[in-house]
Amino acid sequence: MKSTPTILVVFGATGDLAQKKIIPALWHLHAEAKLPPSFSVIGFSRRDLDRDGFVAHVAGALSQYRGKDLEEHERSFLDIFGFVRGYFDASDAYDTLKRTIEEKERAAGGRANKLFYLAVTPEMYETVLTRVAESRLGGAAGDAGVPEWTRIIVEKPFGKNADTAQALDTLLGTLFREEQIYRIDHYLAKEMIQNILAFRFSNNLFENNWNAAAIERIDIRLWEDVGVEERGSFYDGVGALRDVGQNHLLQMLALITMERPASFDAPALRRARADILRTLVRPSERDVMATSVRAQYDGYRAIRGAGPDSNTETYFKVRAALSSPRWRGTDITLESGKRMGERKKEIVITFKHPAPCMCPAGGEHLRNKIVIALEPEERITIHFWSKKPGFAYDLEERMLTFMLRGETHRSQYVEEYKKLLLDCITGDQTLFVSTDEVYHMWRFTDGITDAWENNAVPLGRYTPDTSCIAESGVPPQGTTAPEAKDPAREIGFVGLGKMGRNMAEHLAEQGWRVAAYDRSAAATAAAAERGITAAGNMRGLVSHLSAPRLVWLMIPAGRAVDEALFGAGGLASLLSRGDTVIDGGNSFYGDTMKRAKKLAARGIRFLDVGVSGGPEGARHGAALMIGGDGEDFARWEHLFRDLAGGRDYVHTGKSGAGHFAKMVHNGIEYGMMQSLAEGFAILKKAPFGFDLKKIAEAYNNGSVIESRLVGWLARAYEAHGEDLKGITGAVGHSGEGEWTAQTAKKLRVPAPVIADAFDFRVRSKKKPSYTGRILSALRNQFGGHSVQ
């Protein structure tokens, strides 16, 4: 039986990437018999070469790698190469490429597995991908029932910012599904980077103390002793932060800080990395001014390809922050530079000193460190303190060191690209970056580069081959500009249900002084255990706040809000002119507009905020839609930034606009959930015996309907089984769906989907169904609503 042939097409096959990384890696895989049977490579380039000329070019690229003991393999290796000459934008060249692939398939007696490697500059991605699509080179990529596979390989940088990265993903999505896309960040394939997972999760030494409570700071640095060299044309349009910060450094941070994955397969690992990167706090321009340094080494502008007035940084040091509960408050520094005088690539985890500290009287507090070094040696070193021999209680630093490899003369990139290419062939995406990771990494770095491009941080200079610039340091995370006054960070919360409690704890972890009151004494007591000041009533709550006061209502809509504001002992009688009330519940926008007027008459400011994201969003960062006066929004924007946890928030307009936007959001949610429930009810009845959890996972893996709702449905099936036993088919509902339908009718806007979705929930009280069970399960997953 013939094995399925595998064809690797390398676009840009005569370029630097192919010569220094791809060809040497393929050579070693061939020599070690790691390539699959019937494996061939088709080089695609505009160079004026024929097949023999290209093979000679490949042989030249091997000169420093093959070694005498491997020369016998060279002939068979060179035989696997073919060549197609053409320009990347010439459709006839792709027709020739397609014929060449088909010839190889006919010779092999069947369709081939295909790998398309874009070894071209990022600005050529769109051209190449468009031509591949037009020529139908992807062939069987989306064909049902076809055992052969087709995959695409792209190199970082994946775009130049979040917008271009999303545009690139959209383009990739026209040809390939997410499981077919292999985004290479070669740092993930480094042995010591892979060892981070083993060190953390295959041991039980440190993981219980792997958090902000025990770890004071994390420093990640990539110092290079080389300069930009011959990469001036590419580097000058990118800079150090985009070149290594947005990808290598943030991937290293993700591995150090991610939660334990559900398993160690590719989907779970990629999801865990994306989840922690999602909590990266996007810095404001003011943050960037206070917590970043950028510089360029002297002589850089004379490099070929660099502009004579270039402002491209060759060195940077920036602070980062994670809003996740595990890491809130840990100081994180990311640093990299060219021509630094020494090669130092490492992650340093510094633990807090113990309390009480058995440190020398009047001396420095002793801290433990773990250093994970990639270069010049590959090692993990644990720094600890031990008593010196003798009568005196004198301490000295000791070290436990695991040496993976000492300083070697391994060929740069070859080991990593061997691993990555082999994983592309075998279909293992563990060491490849997902689209979610790319977006959240860009979202963080965009905040920095946008500020730099506005010259918020002047470009410094440094002497090549020194570390003088690194010694200058940057201020600690959260430092504000000297002339700026710290904004008030004190708030009172009324309502400690699922949402209110999580929001209050979220703010307390970010340094806010939070006082809270709830009608439930147990809820108030529980909040007190989390460092929140407990109040026994409204008057007590207000007494804990300094003027001008800020109070956030997180209570059910309707009468409860009016009582809290205008009832006996309500906030309107307790607050003063200039104080602010925020209603973060799901109030009807019409009621909100009336309340705003009544409070304004008393001189009390009022904002309405639609909060989306459920209890999880309230705890880690929610979507916020904020209505009210623009000056009031600006006054408390630092609150909304902290509550959003690095996500976007929006000032929607005058009073009532925030709740109106949230009302429509929930109406849309009704329709989306209804469609999802009806679809899976159909799947349940189908004669094919579908595994509904797996169907949900497939739908949520790059499909058009991929969403958090589909992911929650998969979780519900995992928790309750396909029959969703124990879950009611009578669906609960709050007011927003009904309000949206009524408002649409009032505005004469047809909204049959939303209206029907609401009506279904009303009918379900008398006619529970499997569709209703799905809806109840979804409400439980994202909002913690009862399934009974």
PDB file of all heavy atoms in Angstrom, residues 285-296:
ATOM      1  N   GLU A 285      -1.861  56.057  27.628  1.00  0.00           N
ATOM      2  CA  GLU A 285      -0.689  56.855  27.264  1.00  0.00           C
ATOM      3  C   GLU A 285       0.030  57.355  28.510  1.00  0.00           C
ATOM      4  O   GLU A 285       1.261  57.387  28.560  1.00  0.00           O
ATOM      5  CB  GLU A 285      -1.090  58.023  26.367  1.00  0.00           C
ATOM      6  CG  GLU A 285       0.097  58.835  25.871  1.00  0.00           C
ATOM      7  CD  GLU A 285      -0.271  59.786  24.760  1.00  0.00           C
ATOM      8  OE1 GLU A 285      -0.793  59.324  23.720  1.00  0.00           O
ATOM      9  OE2 GLU A 285      -0.030  61.004  24.932  1.00  0.00           O
ATOM     10  N   ARG A 286      -0.741  57.690  29.501  1.00  0.00           N
ATOM     11  CA  ARG A 286      -0.143  58.153  30.746  1.00  0.00           C
ATOM     12  C   ARG A 286       0.664  57.040  31.416  1.00  0.00           C
ATOM     13  O   ARG A 286       1.752  57.268  31.946  1.00  0.00           O
ATOM     14  CB  ARG A 286      -1.257  58.646  31.673  1.00  0.00           C
ATOM     15  CG  ARG A 286      -0.775  59.237  32.982  1.00  0.00           C
ATOM     16  CD  ARG A 286      -1.975  59.763  33.741  1.00  0.00           C
ATOM     17  NE  ARG A 286      -1.639  60.141  35.081  1.00  0.00           N
ATOM     18  CZ  ARG A 286      -2.527  60.539  35.967  1.00  0.00           C
ATOM     19  NH1 ARG A 286      -3.794  60.609  35.625  1.00  0.00           N
ATOM     20  NH2 ARG A 286      -2.156  60.867  37.177  1.00  0.00           N
ATOM     21  N   ASP A 287       0.127  55.819  31.405  1.00  0.00           N
ATOM     22  CA  ASP A 287       0.868  54.681  31.950  1.00  0.00           C
ATOM     23  C   ASP A 287       2.179  54.485  31.204  1.00  0.00           C
ATOM     24  O   ASP A 287       3.217  54.229  31.810  1.00  0.00           O
ATOM     25  CB  ASP A 287       0.035  53.395  31.839  1.00  0.00           C
ATOM     26  CG  ASP A 287      -1.214  53.419  32.690  1.00  0.00           C
ATOM     27  OD1 ASP A 287      -1.205  54.090  33.736  1.00  0.00           O
ATOM     28  OD2 ASP A 287      -2.199  52.763  32.300  1.00  0.00           O
ATOM     29  N   VAL A 288       2.106  54.573  29.869  1.00  0.00           N
ATOM     30  CA  VAL A 288       3.289  54.355  29.046  1.00  0.00           C
ATOM     31  C   VAL A 288       4.364  55.403  29.352  1.00  0.00           C
ATOM     32  O   VAL A 288       5.560  55.098  29.441  1.00  0.00           O
ATOM     33  CB  VAL A 288       2.923  54.360  27.549  1.00  0.00           C
ATOM     34  CG1 VAL A 288       4.170  54.234  26.676  1.00  0.00           C
ATOM     35  CG2 VAL A 288       1.950  53.222  27.237  1.00  0.00           C
ATOM     36  N   MET A 289       3.946  56.648  29.517  1.00  0.00           N
ATOM     37  CA  MET A 289       4.892  57.711  29.847  1.00  0.00           C
ATOM     38  C   MET A 289       5.636  57.406  31.148  1.00  0.00           C
ATOM     39  O   MET A 289       6.832  57.690  31.281  1.00  0.00           O
ATOM     40  CB  MET A 289       4.155  59.042  29.991  1.00  0.00           C
ATOM     41  CG  MET A 289       3.607  59.613  28.695  1.00  0.00           C
ATOM     42  SD  MET A 289       2.522  61.041  28.992  1.00  0.00           S
ATOM     43  CE  MET A 289       3.649  62.185  29.779  1.00  0.00           C
ATOM     44  N   ALA A 290       4.926  56.819  32.096  1.00  0.00           N
ATOM     45  CA  ALA A 290       5.505  56.619  33.418  1.00  0.00           C
ATOM     46  C   ALA A 290       6.255  55.304  33.568  1.00  0.00           C
ATOM     47  O   ALA A 290       7.086  55.169  34.463  1.00  0.00           O
ATOM     48  CB  ALA A 290       4.397  56.683  34.477  1.00  0.00           C
ATOM     49  N   THR A 291       5.981  54.329  32.707  1.00  0.00           N
ATOM     50  CA  THR A 291       6.503  52.983  32.970  1.00  0.00           C
ATOM     51  C   THR A 291       7.196  52.356  31.765  1.00  0.00           C
ATOM     52  O   THR A 291       7.212  51.133  31.626  1.00  0.00           O
ATOM     53  CB  THR A 291       5.360  52.053  33.427  1.00  0.00           C
ATOM     54  OG1 THR A 291       4.390  51.947  32.372  1.00  0.00           O
ATOM     55  CG2 THR A 291       4.689  52.577  34.675  1.00  0.00           C
ATOM     56  N   SER A 292       7.768  53.151  30.877  1.00  0.00           N
ATOM     57  CA  SER A 292       8.483  52.548  29.747  1.00  0.00           C
ATOM     58  C   SER A 292       9.697  53.378  29.360  1.00  0.00           C
ATOM     59  O   SER A 292       9.750  54.589  29.600  1.00  0.00           O
ATOM     60  CB  SER A 292       7.548  52.394  28.530  1.00  0.00           C
ATOM     61  OG  SER A 292       7.269  53.641  27.916  1.00  0.00           O
ATOM     62  N   VAL A 293      10.660  52.695  28.782  1.00  0.00           N
ATOM     63  CA  VAL A 293      11.869  53.321  28.243  1.00  0.00           C
ATOM     64  C   VAL A 293      12.090  52.750  26.852  1.00  0.00           C
ATOM     65  O   VAL A 293      11.891  51.553  26.619  1.00  0.00           O
ATOM     66  CB  VAL A 293      13.104  53.021  29.127  1.00  0.00           C
ATOM     67  CG1 VAL A 293      14.392  53.450  28.435  1.00  0.00           C
ATOM     68  CG2 VAL A 293      12.982  53.708  30.478  1.00  0.00           C
ATOM     69  N   ARG A 294      12.471  53.587  25.910  1.00  0.00           N
ATOM     70  CA  ARG A 294      12.855  53.107  24.581  1.00  0.00           C
ATOM     71  C   ARG A 294      14.114  53.836  24.160  1.00  0.00           C
ATOM     72  O   ARG A 294      14.328  55.005  24.515  1.00  0.00           O
ATOM     73  CB  ARG A 294      11.736  53.310  23.558  1.00  0.00           C
ATOM     74  CG  ARG A 294      11.364  54.764  23.314  1.00  0.00           C
ATOM     75  CD  ARG A 294      10.273  54.898  22.268  1.00  0.00           C
ATOM     76  NE  ARG A 294       9.922  56.287  22.015  1.00  0.00           N
ATOM     77  CZ  ARG A 294       9.810  56.825  20.807  1.00  0.00           C
ATOM     78  NH1 ARG A 294      10.031  56.090  19.727  1.00  0.00           N
ATOM     79  NH2 ARG A 294       9.473  58.096  20.668  1.00  0.00           N
ATOM     80  N   ALA A 295      14.958  53.164  23.419  1.00  0.00           N
ATOM     81  CA  ALA A 295      16.237  53.762  23.028  1.00  0.00           C
ATOM     82  C   ALA A 295      16.749  53.104  21.760  1.00  0.00           C
ATOM     83  O   ALA A 295      16.279  52.030  21.346  1.00  0.00           O
ATOM     84  CB  ALA A 295      17.254  53.645  24.159  1.00  0.00           C
ATOM     85  N   GLN A 296      17.731  53.758  21.159  1.00  0.00           N
ATOM     86  CA  GLN A 296      18.350  53.283  19.910  1.00  0.00           C
ATOM     87  C   GLN A 296      19.862  53.376  20.072  1.00  0.00           C
ATOM     88  O   GLN A 296      20.383  54.360  20.584  1.00  0.00           O
ATOM     89  CB  GLN A 296      17.882  54.177  18.756  1.00  0.00           C
ATOM     90  CG  GLN A 296      18.364  53.775  17.383  1.00  0.00           C
ATOM     91  CD  GLN A 296      17.965  54.817  16.340  1.00  0.00           C
ATOM     92  OE1 GLN A 296      18.760  55.696  15.990  1.00  0.00           O
ATOM     93  NE2 GLN A 296      16.718  54.741  15.871  1.00  0.00           N
TER      94      GLN A 296
END
